[in-house]
Amino acid sequence: MRKYIVAGNWKMNTTVPEGVELAKAVAAKAGEVPANVELVVAPPFTHLVSVAEALKGSKVALSAQNCADHEKGAYTGEIAANMLVSAGCSYTILGHSERRQYYGETDEKLVEKVKLALANGLKVILCVGENLDEREAGKHFDVVAGQTKAVLYNFTAEDMKNIVIAYEPVWAIGTGKTASAEQAEEIHACIRKVLADKFGAQVAEDTTILYGGSCKPSNAKELFAQPDIDGGLIGGAALKADDFIAIALSF
Ligand code: 13P
């Protein structure tokens, strides 16, 4: 059965006390959200232990925004998958376009990261999405299908039970420009077809595919009404508990 998820990617925002306050505010309202919608928050690494504590007893799951492509050792500044688990995470986001764009994250590195995340019991939210030039050149289907295959075709149907995909068109992130429900739906359907080709129709049907990019309370309902959109990966609007919860109430 496909799961619905609304996940908040806080990116590099909030201090630890601010993050704890935000987490508490989300946890306090999480009970309003239907049981079939999972809530996830992804604060910066420095916040994870404190936010885990703030979320205790709530239905909100904790995610990291990235993890290392090595298991442990001399990798200064990196955070390993098992550290995330020990801090209370059950998810990690991987392959966000900001990491691909600014930090040289390649599909090859992502394969290693996904392997380590899964091996340590983390669920993965893998991000894919085309940039503006690629969309204007009409390459968006090829780019997204290519990114999806380059990473996920290294995994098994069993692994797919712990992998969520987030389609985030780069031109819609933080720009206030949302993909229309039709634009998002056709890419989601394309991703599901890419999954079906490799893993079969059932795995494709069961995989959660989120939309991300200027998703907010005013447009979430129309996006989530699409047959292949199973929730959202929310940036800016996840920094306000009321907006985040309102999005989760949009199914
Ligand atoms: P915005 O919702 O701020 O556009 O960010 C989307 C995003 O990148 C979530 O990962």
Side-chain angles (χ1 to χ4, degrees):
M1 257 276 287
R2 205 184 295 172
K3 203 159 49 170
Y4 298 108
I5 299 174
V6 174
N9 175 10
W10 297 0
K11 307 192 181 186
M12 199 173 73
N13 292 297
T14 72
T15 61
V16 174
E18 287 165 355
V20 167
E21 277 317 295
L22 177 55
K24 282 185 182 161
V26 170
K29 296 189 171 218
E32 298 169 17
V33 174
N36 65 340
V37 180
E38 182 168 15
L39 291 175
V40 180
V41 293
F45 288 135
T46 43
H47 303 32
L48 291 173
V49 170
S50 316
V51 168
E53 188 62 35
L55 296 177
K56 251 189 200 147
S58 80
K59 64 171 248 168
V60 185
L62 185 63
S63 176
Q65 299 176 13
N66 182 28
C67 85
D69 56 345
H70 294 279
E71 201 168 344
K72 64 173 182 172
Y75 300 100
T76 302
E78 289 294 307
I79 308 286
N82 71 337
M83 298 174 188
L84 299 178
V85 173
S86 71
C89 289
S90 50
Y91 282 90
T92 185
I93 296 170
L94 289 175
H96 192 281
S97 61
E98 289 149 15
R99 299 228 42 98
R100 294 181 190 254
Q101 203 178 337
Y102 308 135
Y103 300 98
E105 190 118 303
T106 59
D107 290 330
E108 292 72 32
K109 263 191 205 169
L110 281 169
V111 171
E112 295 311 309
K113 291 184 177 200
V114 174
K115 270 186 200 161
L116 286 165
L118 294 179
N120 283 280
L122 288 170
K123 287 177 255 181
V124 169
I125 301 174
L126 177 73
C127 304
V128 295
E130 82 285 359
N131 64 31
L132 187 59
D133 287 349
E134 291 162 339
R135 174 155 288 263
E136 285 177 344
K139 292 185 187 152
H140 39 294
F141 290 105
D142 288 346
V143 168
V144 171
Q147 289 172 336
T148 307
K149 286 181 193 173
V151 178
L152 294 183
Y153 277 20
N154 295 285
F155 294 90
T156 65
E158 192 58 29
D159 293 330
M160 286 305 300
K161 290 183 182 158
N162 292 308
I163 297 175
V164 170
I165 299 171
Y167 168 56
E168 300 207 313
V170 178
W171 49 270
I173 295 178
T175 57
K177 248 193 232 170
T178 321
S180 69
E182 294 71 27
Q183 283 174 321
E185 169 58 22
E186 62 183 9
I187 296 278
H188 282 231
C190 163
I191 293 170
R192 226 178 273 291
K193 165 89 170 57
V194 167
L195 298 180
D197 288 346
K198 165 84 174 166
F199 303 110
Q202 193 58 52
V203 170
E205 183 55 35
D206 290 347
T207 301
T208 300
I209 307 179
L210 308 178
Y211 169 78
S214 301
C215 184
K216 42 190 182 256
S218 59
N219 60 26
K221 210 175 188 69
E222 197 190 348
L223 287 159
F224 297 173
Q226 302 302 312
D228 290 298
I229 301 182
D230 311 314
L233 181 55
I234 319 301
L239 297 172
K240 288 194 184 132
D242 287 346
D243 284 355
F244 184 62
I245 294 295
I247 291 170
L249 290 172
S250 301
F251 283 96

